[in-house]
Amino acid sequence: ETNLHPRAARALVRMLYELSRAGVQIYAATHSYFVLKQFELIARRHKEPVRLCCLRREGDAIGARFFDLQEGMPQNGIVEEALRMYDEDVDLDMGS
């Protein structure tokens, strides 16, 4: 999904969801907020589990945390940066 327009990224996720419903096991890696958010929306809308593994550097090691997007979007580096960008945008609009 690298460099896909957000609308195309959302369509890709919907297509992957339909493939999974047909019995295809899907593994995806992304740094795209749009892809993550679309997976979350699908999980919540259809009340079906969508598993998420977040990798994070912890000292000299890499740690993994697991989530179900049906329960909402967990805090992670991608979400945190998207929220910082949103806050910066709001601050500029508010004249701060």
Side-chain angles (χ1 to χ4, degrees), residues 37-79:
K37 189 64 178 176
Q38 186 62 30
F39 273 122
E40 181 212 0
L41 293 171
I42 284 173
R44 289 174 46 217
R45 180 178 300 117
H46 297 282
K47 297 180 177 31
E48 292 186 24
V50 173
R51 308 281 187 240
L52 172 67
C53 174
C54 292
L55 301 177
R56 195 177 285 239
R57 182 174 303 280
E58 297 173 355
D60 292 336
I62 301 294
R65 294 177 56 207
F66 297 89
F67 303 93
D68 181 350
L69 290 176
Q70 185 179 352
E71 298 169 2
M73 182 77 79
Q75 287 297 315
N76 63 64
I78 295 170
V79 173

Side-chain angles (χ1 to χ4, degrees), residues 2-19:
T2 301
N3 297 320
L4 278 181
H5 186 280
R7 188 176 304 138
R10 288 170 48 103
L12 172 66
V13 171
R14 287 191 298 269
M15 182 177 57
L16 292 173
Y17 171 73
E18 291 302 325
L19 285 170

